[in-house]
Amino acid sequence: MDVQELIDRAEITDALTRYTLAVDDGDWDALDTVFAADATIDYSESGGTVGELAEVKKWLAEMLPAFSQKRLHTIGQVGITFTGEGAEVVAYFDNPMVISDGSGGERVVEVGGRYRHSFVRTPEGWRSRHLHEEVFWTRGF
């Protein structure tokens, strides 16, 4: 592994962290630092939407806060395979969220799986052109 590959791996890993922070904090415009402008995002396996970045940001802003105000992603293993000017990235995730229990209290629900990204190098840095959220399990729903 050469120095450039180490730098590329670090930049891609930083983008994954920016993604979880943006979603957890509800900072939807920060997703512009993770995704290319023409990116597609597929949340269908968790019952969500599929679309281009702008429409998914709008959907997240409307739907996610109504579902849960308290979110805390964790990214685990990250596999990066470079493919010329791009990279295929698989990142394990655990996403617990606090929701209303319907009786004035709260309960935790959780989704676990893998984020599958196709990253490309852009003038602004590494950006995801496609995200597919692959759900392996849920708990508490």
Side-chain angles (χ1 to χ4, degrees):
M1 202 176 302
D2 65 11
V3 173
Q4 186 59 55
E5 184 175 337
L6 290 171
I7 292 168
D8 291 340
R9 287 177 180 277
E11 289 178 0
I12 289 169
T13 301
D14 285 349
L16 296 172
T17 299
R18 288 194 311 272
Y19 170 77
T20 59
L21 289 168
V23 171
D24 291 346
D25 294 342
D27 185 0
W28 314 120
D29 288 335
L31 293 173
D32 296 341
T33 72
V34 176
F35 293 99
D38 62 348
T40 58
I41 300 169
D42 180 350
Y43 291 133
S44 61
E45 288 191 31
S46 60
T49 193
V50 178
E52 294 183 1
L53 177 61
E55 61 191 309
V56 171
K57 283 172 48 177
K58 183 179 179 197
W59 179 84
L60 284 168
E62 292 173 5
M63 300 304 289
L64 200 52
F67 179 72
S68 174
Q69 291 289 323
K70 299 174 185 174
R71 303 174 294 273
L72 189 64
H73 275 79
T74 302
I75 297 286
Q77 299 92 311
V78 176
I80 301 171
T81 303
F82 291 98
T83 58
E85 286 303 308
E88 295 302 312
V89 178
V90 178
Y92 286 59
F93 74 88
D94 179 37
N95 185 12
M97 298 168 277
V98 177
I99 65 171
S100 169
D101 67 2
S103 301
E106 297 177 326
R107 65 187 172 103
V108 175
V109 296
E110 197 168 8
V111 179
R114 295 183 200 160
Y115 290 128
R116 294 189 173 272
H117 286 271
S118 294
F119 272 84
V120 293
R121 188 189 313 267
T122 73
E124 295 80 30
W126 285 96
R127 297 292 187 265
S128 178
R129 293 207 58 214
H130 180 71
L131 165 61
H132 175 217
E133 180 187 62
E134 186 178 30
V135 175
F136 277 65
W137 53 267
T138 62
R139 181 182 357 218
F141 284 91

